[in-house]
Amino acid sequence: MSVLVVVPTYNERENLPLLVPAVLSHDGVRMLIVDDGSPDGTGALADQLAAQYPGRIEVMHRTGPRGLGRSYVDGLKRALETDATLICQMDADLSHNPEYLPALIAAAGTHDVVIGSRYLQGISVVNWPLHRIFLSTFANRYIKTVTGLSPADCTSGYRCWRRETLAKLRLDRVVTEGYAFLVEMLFEASRTGANIGEVPIIFVERRQGQSKVSSKVLVESLIAPWRLAFRGRR
Ligand SMILES: Nc1nc2c(ncn2[C@@H]2O[C@H](COP(=O)(O)OP(=O)(O)OP(=O)(O)O)[C@@H](O)[C@H]2O)c(=O)[nH]1
Ligand SMILES: [Mg+2]
């Protein structure tokens, strides 16, 4: 089995050198780092790390308009060009502990896509202010109500896809950006009949670097579920 972990980065200089060895400590796992021309030099750092781990890291240096959704589209398309049988996605800021990778990978034996979920056993987040917890739990309930999706955590960016499942999604058609992008992928997967699983994770808020969540992204995530719901009816 060959596993490729796609990691989008924007200004993650402090976090990447901690993330990479932790991910690559798992046998059979490779990484694709998708950097968006980070002003802090994360891209050059990723190249150095790739040289330290020959054959295990590929770095994509994006140019043009930056964005998390766009980076995922480019990264996941590239991932499908490789021979990876499982394609994972995770954040670079250490909120997604690489120790859970084996659990996600194992669950992909019985599910088409597996979500590292914060809301399976109550709410498992560390160091989030109360308003963040409210926002995220509200967002998930709202998304589930509007779109009819069933997973407890529809906005988690920690996922493991079977290659065939990902290949069925029309990544070129994805229209959303921030969190909404993650919801849209899940929505499209469930429309293709994918069996969606979840494993519990404890999510830890970033200690280093800055969050890129903007109010534009939040507004998009309010509107996007309705667009998906109407698309689903057509
Ligand atoms: N390539 C790329 N990566 C991005 C972009 N925006 C965010 N990222 C990365 O996407 C991941 C998630 O971004 P965060 O800023 O941590 O967003 P978040 O996890 O939703 O928010 P926090 O809880 O505040 O950390 C991180 O690995 C970021 O470096 C972008 O425009 N382009
Ligand atoms: Mg984060």
Side-chain angles (χ1 to χ4, degrees):
M1 188 180 51
S2 116
V3 182
L4 182 64
V5 180
V6 180
V7 182
T9 57
Y10 190 72
N11 289 347
E12 300 288 1
R13 193 180 51 186
E14 296 94 343
N15 293 315
L16 203 58
L18 301 174
L19 180 79
V20 163
V23 170
L24 295 184
S25 71
H26 302 291
D27 287 336
V29 173
R30 287 171 297 151
M31 295 178 80
L32 170 60
I33 298 169
V34 186
D35 187 65
D36 245 343
S38 299
D40 78 346
T42 300
L45 184 65
D47 288 334
Q48 283 171 27
L49 288 161
Q52 275 175 40
Y53 293 90
R56 295 195 68 193
I57 305 180
E58 182 180 340
V59 185
M60 179 185 278
H61 296 278
R62 291 190 75 253
T63 52
R66 87 166 173 96
L68 185 57
R70 290 185 169 89
S71 295
Y72 265 131
V73 170
D74 291 352
L76 295 171
K77 279 205 241 165
R78 170 70 198 122
L80 286 169
E81 289 166 9
T82 72
D83 62 0
T85 48
L86 292 178
I87 297 164
C88 301
Q89 52 182 125
M90 70 191 291
D91 291 353
D93 59 359
L94 305 174
S95 289
H96 298 152
N97 191 332
E99 279 180 21
Y100 297 120
L101 273 174
L104 269 85
I105 290 167
T110 48
H111 298 276
D112 298 318
V113 51
V114 180
I115 305 170
S117 176
R118 297 161 289 186
Y119 305 120
L120 266 192
Q121 299 169 343
I123 301 174
S124 50
V125 293
V126 174
N127 282 348
W128 257 9
L130 208 52
H131 74 268
R132 234 5 241 278
I133 296 180
F134 276 128
L135 184 66
S136 179
T137 46
F138 167 78
N140 263 287
R141 212 164 287 164
Y142 175 82
I143 287 160
K144 287 165 58 157
T145 308
V146 176
T147 62
L149 277 167
S150 58
D153 193 343
C154 297
T155 56
S156 169
Y158 201 1
R159 295 176 178 174
C160 179
W161 297 84
R162 284 188 188 167
R163 173 196 188 84
E164 317 80 73
T165 308
L166 194 59
K168 277 189 212 154
L169 307 189
R170 283 178 291 184
L171 290 167
D172 278 322
R173 293 253 205 112
V174 171
V175 292
T176 48
E177 261 301 323
Y179 289 110
F181 168 78
L182 294 166
V183 179
E184 183 170 3
M185 280 187 79
L186 217 51
F187 186 80
E188 288 303 316
S190 89
R191 285 221 290 172
T192 66
N195 170 338
I196 303 173
E198 288 182 276
V199 297
I201 64 157
I202 298 174
F203 177 99
V204 181
E205 176 56 351
R206 63 161 73 244
R207 299 210 176 88
Q208 304 278 352
Q210 270 180 4
S211 171
K212 286 106 211 170
V213 178
S214 63
S215 43
K216 190 175 152 223
V217 159
L218 291 179
V219 171
E220 178 189 43
S221 56
L222 283 178
I223 300 165
W226 291 101
R227 291 171 68 178
L228 295 177
F230 283 112
R231 188 191 295 173
R233 293 230 180 87
R234 279 208 311 270

